[in-house]
Amino acid sequence: MSALNTMTIAAARDALRRGEVTSLELTEACLAAIDSADALNAVVHKTPDLARQQAQAADARIRAGEAPALCGIPLGIKDLFCTKGVLSQAGSRILQGFLPEYESTVTQNLFDAGAVMLGKLNMDEFAMGSSNETSCYGNVVSPWRRGNDATALTPGGSSGGSAAAVAADLCLAATGTDTGGSIRQPAAFVGITGIKPTYGRCSRWGIVAFASSLDQAGPMTKSVRDAAIMLSAMCGHDPKDSTSADLPVPDFEAMLTGDIRGKVIGIPKEYRMEGMPAEIEKLWADGAAMLRDAGAEIRDISLPHTKYALPAYYVIAPAEASSNLARYDGVRYGHRARLAQGDGITEMYEKTRAEGFGPEVQRRVMVGTYVLSAGFYDAYYNRARKVRALIKRDFETAFAAGVDAILTPATPSAAFGLGEMAEADPVQMYLNDVFTVTVNLAGLPGISVPAGLDGQGLPLGLQLIGRPWEEGDLLNTAYALERAAGFVAKPSQWW
């Protein structure tokens, strides 16, 4: 058997049930991998004692013969999820030392299914970023390199720690969150699978909020089958979240037949962006050809309001962020600034927030506060909400016309070097979300599947967008694409 930490969830589950390996052995292999991978800066709060305790409990469940599919599987948890008694900082200095007294619904669901938590994973501060360069813990480094070039690359963001940890086999899978592409873009950059389910499919309770009408949790895994297994465990109705859908959760894995004959796959003409690299164009065309060969019908479609998606997103998301982040004031928990004599409560708020929030969070809070202010609310925020409704209607029209899924690139390029964009115009960084934000604005499920390598040997991903609440069908189409693409590349270990 190969190194245990390199296994998929499906392979580990089957080995656990056959008694060929124990959860404790899997967990120890992952903990050893984590300890030797500090150069990646992916795991920021290690929880080895908790992991061993959970692994032993999982082994007992497996021996008793009552183990769900995820029982005994070692996972990494993004630092945005509140975990009881374990530091949960959302990558921000303002939440320094915060130990929640409660468990997020998603992590509770995973633990109820017998999953093992190896530690908390690095991320962009408050999930605001596309490169994992805004974290108070420092940058995450991708396990991938451009050929023999030693330049440190971004793993994407905001779920960069999750992406790097899964790609480097520090864990069998990880949780991510996606507000504008923060699962799918990093998954594409490091050659793994990442799915954002329909808005409302996973509870947001206990996940530190960025933009409440856009945020959604999802799994980041080594295969589509693993994504199906983990997503089934993460989902479910939660009365603590008013946006949580009271719908049954299907067995997503059971829906993976790979048979997509007769399915209609839409190719939106608006996603053919000016200046798109030839490698991305070719990957997209190859993906369409693979799905056609698998029996699907490929149909050109129009999503006419796509060009307004980024501007609308970068009004709505900062507006909701400025509202959500108002609660971090240094009064009840987290960082509080040192005050000078004579300072009052106003000075405490100002100094605490200035010290606690990094530059990108400050930028977005200021943008959000501006677009919500008197005199600008209608001009910006209300107009963006109207555009959002039009973007959603574009997708509804396409699905009503018989389209089952939509194929697009996941990112406009392969991973870039750390520091290559951070110092430039922040708008350049925001353009990384050009193919992903529409999915969040419309509340749809979207999945990134690794489909090839660029000329420098870096992973490239394709995105499939599905009908609302039909994650099973979307995963099956992704499964067919995964099998056709045959992507098996792994980064060479340099760390």
Side-chain angles (χ1 to χ4, degrees):
M1 198 180 285
S2 59
L4 298 180
N5 55 300
T6 65
M7 296 176 87
T8 62
I9 291 175
R13 171 196 60 190
D14 296 344
L16 284 163
R17 288 180 173 175
R18 289 193 299 265
E20 296 169 0
V21 68
T22 66
S23 176
L24 193 57
E25 288 167 340
L26 276 173
T27 300
E28 292 293 356
C30 290
L31 291 172
I34 287 168
D35 284 340
S36 66
D38 287 345
L40 300 178
N41 197 29
V43 184
V44 289
H45 300 301
K46 300 176 184 179
T47 56
D49 294 341
L50 176 62
R52 292 183 180 109
Q53 184 184 325
Q54 289 176 329
Q56 286 166 344
D59 283 331
R61 277 178 83 174
I62 292 165
R63 284 193 300 272
E66 299 171 1
L70 214 57
C71 192
I73 303 298
L75 305 175
I77 304 296
K78 185 176 179 177
D79 193 40
L80 205 64
F81 293 79
C82 289
T83 41
K84 187 174 181 178
V86 178
L87 287 167
S88 303
Q89 273 185 246
S92 180
R93 190 179 173 212
I94 207 158
L95 276 172
Q96 202 163 357
F98 176 52
L99 289 166
E101 289 299 316
Y102 51 89
E103 196 69 51
S104 79
T105 299
V106 166
T107 49
Q108 189 62 60
N109 289 348
L110 291 171
F111 298 155
D112 289 347
V116 173
M117 182 172 83
L118 298 162
K120 302 297 285 291
L121 303 175
N122 204 346
M123 55 174 282
D124 278 300
E125 184 180 7
F126 282 104
M128 298 180 195
S130 304
S131 62
N132 225 135
E133 293 174 277
T134 69
S135 171
C136 71
Y137 309 117
N139 302 342
V140 180
V141 180
S142 173
W144 288 85
R145 292 274 166 95
R146 297 178 183 131
N148 296 319
D149 186 344
T151 303
L153 302 179
T154 176
S158 67
S159 307
S162 301
V166 175
D169 293 317
L170 309 187
C171 51
L172 272 58
T175 61
T177 61
D178 193 308
T179 304
S182 288
I183 286 174
R184 291 159 290 149
Q185 183 249 24
F189 274 3
V190 301
I192 63 171
T193 298
I195 181 169
K196 180 206 91 72
T198 311
Y199 181 80
R201 180 64 97 175
C202 279
S203 170
R204 292 181 299 108
W205 195 84
I207 301 173
V208 177
F210 165 11
S212 300
S213 75
L214 300 163
D215 299 344
Q216 196 62 191
M220 302 179 72
T221 60
K222 299 176 188 180
S223 71
V224 172
R225 182 172 296 278
D226 284 5
I229 295 168
M230 189 169 165
L231 186 62
S232 288
M234 291 173 71
C235 293
H237 176 58
D238 179 13
K240 295 197 291 285
D241 175 5
S242 63
T243 62
S244 173
D246 192 358
L247 291 171
V249 180
D251 181 346
F252 295 126
E253 188 188 8
M255 301 171 81
L256 300 181
T257 63
D259 184 0
I260 58 166
R261 286 173 296 181
K263 296 289 184 187
V264 177
I265 309 298
I267 307 292
K269 64 181 183 183
E270 289 79 9
Y271 282 58
R272 288 198 164 82
M273 300 291 178
E274 195 180 322
M276 184 190 288
E279 287 172 322
I280 301 287
E281 281 269 21
K282 183 179 184 305
L283 182 83
W284 194 9
D286 290 349
M290 289 174 202
L291 293 173
R292 186 185 290 113
D293 292 344
E297 177 195 333
I298 304 300
R299 185 185 297 173
D300 286 332
I301 63 167
S302 178
L303 300 171
H305 295 94
T306 295
K307 62 186 173 186
Y308 305 118
L310 268 178
Y313 174 84
Y314 278 103
V315 169
I316 292 168
E320 295 186 12
S322 80
S323 176
N324 278 326
L325 270 58
R327 71 192 71 171
Y328 303 108
D329 52 16
V331 175
R332 287 157 295 182
Y333 49 78
H335 174 72
R336 181 186 291 187
R338 222 179 255 276
L339 302 181
Q341 194 169 3
D343 282 349
I345 193 161
T346 303
E347 288 78 14
M348 188 198 77
Y349 287 161
E350 289 172 350
K351 289 182 178 178
T352 295
R353 290 168 68 82
E355 290 175 11
F357 291 146
E360 182 60 31
V361 173
Q362 290 181 21
R363 181 184 293 122
R364 297 202 198 189
V365 167
M366 286 191 288
V367 168
T369 305
Y370 178 79
V371 301
L372 289 176
S373 60
F376 298 107
Y377 188 89
D378 285 332
Y380 293 103
Y381 185 66
N382 266 343
R383 186 174 291 182
R385 287 172 59 210
K386 288 172 185 170
V387 169
R388 180 183 191 167
L390 293 171
I391 289 166
K392 189 168 186 282
R393 196 173 69 192
D394 287 348
F395 283 105
E396 288 166 353
T397 303
F399 292 134
V403 170
D404 295 292
I406 295 167
L407 179 72
T408 79
T411 59
S413 69
F416 46 89
L418 289 167
E420 285 180 7
M421 275 204 207
E423 300 304 315
D425 177 357
V427 174
Q428 285 300 114
M429 187 74 84
Y430 298 165
L431 291 173
N432 263 287
D433 305 330
V434 67
F435 299 125
T436 52
V437 296
T438 51
V439 180
N440 299 80
L441 289 167
L444 298 172
I447 186 169
S448 175
V449 179
L453 297 172
D454 76 350
Q456 297 176 303
L458 297 179
L460 297 171
L462 286 170
Q463 174 180 236
L464 283 160
I465 303 165
R467 295 169 178 266
W469 313 114
E470 294 188 16
E471 289 87 358
D473 198 52
L474 177 65
L475 282 158
N476 187 47
T477 307
Y479 183 56
L481 180 62
E482 176 187 60
R483 291 205 301 190
F487 184 92
V488 292
K490 297 285 287 184
S492 302
Q493 187 164 347
W494 54 264
W495 58 91

